[in-house]
Amino acid sequence: MKRIISHFVLLLFIFTLIPLNTTVIYASQPGLTVNKTVFSVGEDIVVSFSDLDPTAYGTLPIELRLYKEGETPGVHASTDYVVVHSSTVDLGSSGTITLPRDGARTHVTSYAAGKYKIMLLYGNQSICDPVSITITGDVALTTDKTKYELGENIVISYANVAASLAGNDELFLGLYKENDVVGTNASTDYIMLFKKATGVNRTHAGTVKFPADGGRNKTSYDPGRYKIILVKGNKAVGDPVYLSIGEPVLTLNKSVYTVGEPIIVNYKNAYASYDKGQGVEIRIYKVGDTPGVNPSQDYYVLHNKTTGISRPEAGTIEFPKDGARNKTQYDPGNYVIMV
């Protein structure tokens, strides 16, 4: 007679401000990268390929092709293409291609605004991950990522910033706290793109870095959430891009626990400057509960100005042992841990 054994388990989810990604890289898999992801109409698109081994394929050409988003190789014609390897062409195992200059559609000198993908194909089969780009006629800002560590350079690309947009005003990229208002609050930092009086003219398109190129001679910024926006005089132009600097990060040793088993929580970037008078805590909630509405199941104080508690900015704790509610275990269920 079969026995049915039932186990109670704690299934924990973790609310992290930086996602944990795993990338598997296969040997000899070619790669594609672009110099940035947003371009203005007519701007050069610089594409680099690497680790290409033509002997791994057959006798058909290997091509780099540009397609509009949603189009399919073999069904739709590419917007442009470059032969990378064939019986008469060999651009090597790695190299750089500039579109549209190197494109085979010689009558094309620019591409229409829209979303595109760049693919490396053997026949009509993709042999590596495609890269996506946007070509736009509007002012466009993009950052190389959205989450940064303290002191790390924020790389921002801009496009379609014409000098004529300035008129008699200056144009600059302003770094502001997320809730600051352009024209009311001073920028945390700025990078001048156009100022007639001093002869600065970085308009049209380019890539710059905060704080390396910043006008306030800073080397880092306080932890928090920020936005970057193009400013004309004292008025914002276009949409901002949002980012965070030094946001707290939590990781667990695993995600499924038996009742009473220690839950190991690693944390970093828990800076005291995040304490605005209400303290900074790591808390565990039942899934579906709302902070500020439902009480936490347990918590651990990292910083509290009122009580004088200030822990290191990085460390490891154990629930429920280090929890403030003096519990020895939590009920079976789904939980989320956040800071």
Side-chain angles (χ1 to χ4, degrees):
M1 183 176 181
K2 294 182 178 178
R3 291 190 302 163
I4 301 175
I5 302 174
S6 176
H7 294 280
F8 288 111
V9 299
L10 283 167
L11 179 61
L12 274 98
F13 302 92
I14 186 165
F15 180 84
T16 62
L17 296 172
I18 297 183
L20 303 175
N21 297 319
T22 301
T23 302
V24 179
I25 301 175
Y26 296 96
S28 301
Q29 185 187 33
L32 281 181
T33 57
V34 287
N35 57 320
K36 55 182 182 174
T37 57
V38 178
F39 300 84
S40 56
V41 172
E43 186 181 1
D44 283 346
I45 302 165
V46 181
V47 188
S48 298
F49 65 93
S50 60
D51 299 321
L52 175 62
D53 179 10
T55 63
Y57 309 95
T59 58
L60 295 175
I62 297 173
E63 297 175 340
L64 181 115
R65 299 187 200 167
L66 175 72
Y67 287 93
K68 289 182 177 178
E69 188 178 71
E71 293 184 340
T72 304
V75 177
H76 303 95
S78 62
T79 300
D80 212 342
Y81 71 95
V82 176
V83 177
V84 178
H85 183 84
S86 70
S87 59
T88 58
V89 175
D90 185 4
L91 299 186
S93 61
S94 62
T96 299
I97 291 167
T98 302
L99 295 174
R101 186 186 69 196
D102 297 329
R105 308 202 190 283
T106 54
H107 63 286
V108 176
T109 57
S110 66
Y111 309 119
K115 294 184 179 295
Y116 292 82
K117 59 184 176 182
I118 300 172
M119 308 178 74
L120 196 59
L121 301 168
Y122 173 71
N124 288 316
Q125 300 299 313
S126 179
I127 60 175
C128 70
D129 293 333
V131 290
S132 297
I133 64 169
T134 299
I135 299 174
T136 177
D138 300 323
V139 170
L141 304 179
T142 56
T143 52
D144 58 327
K145 53 186 179 177
T146 58
K147 301 178 188 296
Y148 299 85
E149 297 296 323
L150 287 187
E152 185 179 7
N153 271 325
I154 301 162
V155 182
I156 181 160
S157 298
Y158 60 94
N160 301 317
V161 180
S164 59
L165 179 65
N168 293 320
D169 291 315
E170 58 188 26
L171 282 174
F172 64 90
L173 293 174
L175 176 71
Y176 292 85
K177 293 283 184 71
E178 184 179 43
N179 295 320
D180 283 353
V181 178
V182 176
T184 300
N185 304 106
S187 64
T188 299
D189 209 345
Y190 69 91
I191 298 173
M192 192 63 63
L193 298 184
F194 180 85
K195 189 171 184 177
K196 190 173 181 179
T198 58
V200 174
N201 190 350
R202 288 167 145 169
T203 54
H204 185 55
T207 299
V208 291
K209 299 176 182 179
F210 283 109
D213 300 321
R216 301 201 189 283
N217 298 315
K218 294 190 176 184
T219 56
S220 66
Y221 309 115
D222 292 337
R225 295 180 182 270
Y226 291 82
K227 61 187 175 186
I228 299 175
I229 193 161
L230 180 67
V231 180
K232 173 188 176 181
N234 285 316
K235 294 183 179 179
V237 178
D239 297 323
V241 290
Y242 293 91
L243 59 104
S244 65
I245 299 173
E247 281 197 351
V249 181
L250 300 179
T251 56
L252 298 176
N253 60 322
K254 57 181 183 175
S255 59
V256 180
Y257 298 82
T258 57
V259 172
E261 183 180 4
I263 301 164
I264 308 300
V265 184
N266 298 298
Y267 69 91
K268 71 173 186 175
N269 294 346
Y271 297 105
S273 57
Y274 278 114
D275 184 3
K276 304 302 182 183
Q278 297 178 322
V280 178
E281 300 171 352
I282 298 175
R283 300 181 189 172
I284 179 169
Y285 289 91
K286 286 188 173 180
V287 170
D289 284 353
T290 303
V293 177
N294 307 107
S296 63
Q297 296 297 304
D298 215 339
Y299 67 95
Y300 177 82
V301 179
L302 294 172
H303 301 287
N304 190 303
K305 293 178 180 178
T306 302
T307 59
I309 295 175
S310 184
R311 315 277 188 187
E313 64 193 41
T316 299
I317 65 166
E318 182 181 308
F319 280 127
K321 186 183 75 174
D322 296 325
R325 301 203 188 281
N326 298 314
K327 293 188 176 184
T328 57
Q329 65 182 43
Y330 308 117
D331 295 335
N334 296 334
Y335 294 79
V336 60
I337 295 178
M338 61 181 68
V339 62

